[in-house]
Amino acid sequence: MKILVAKFMLVHNGVEYPTGSVVDVPDEVAADLLASAPKEFVQVSVDEAGQSDIAASADTHQEGLPPVDAAKLRKK
C-alpha cells in the first residue's frame, strides 16, 4: 500500500522519507501507521493505469495567483 508522509519524517528499513514523500510499504505496516497517526500519514489510492491521485494532481496545470492591481489596493 502506498502512503503519503503528510507531516514530519518516516524512517522505514533505514531509509528516511521526508514530508511529501509517497512510500510503498507492506499493507500491515501502512494500516498500523494510518491507525496510529492519521494526521501524519495519508493513504494514496492508485487507479488502473498505475497513477496515484497525488501524481494525477501534479500533472494538472495550475494558473497560480491572479494579477494584482496595486493602485486599487492602496489605501486612500
Side-chain angles (χ1 to χ4, degrees), residues 4-11 16-21 37 39-41:
L4 170 69
V5 181
K7 286 185 178 179
F8 309 116
M9 179 182 291
L10 171 67
V11 178
E16 295 182 354
Y17 300 96
T19 302
S21 299
K39 293 182 180 179
E40 286 80 11
F41 303 102

Side-chain angles (χ1 to χ4, degrees), residues 49-71:
Q51 186 176 28
S52 68
D53 54 359
I54 302 297
S57 65
D59 290 341
T60 59
H61 178 69
Q62 296 180 356
E63 292 295 322
L65 296 174
V68 176
D69 186 6

Side-chain angles (χ1 to χ4, degrees), residues 1-3 12-13 23-36 41-46:
M1 178 185 300
K2 292 189 178 196
I3 59 171
H12 179 67
N13 291 338
V23 184
D24 193 10
V25 293
D27 291 344
E28 299 83 25
V29 174
D32 289 343
L33 287 172
L34 293 170
S36 64
F41 303 102
V42 179
Q43 182 177 355
V44 177
S45 61
V46 179

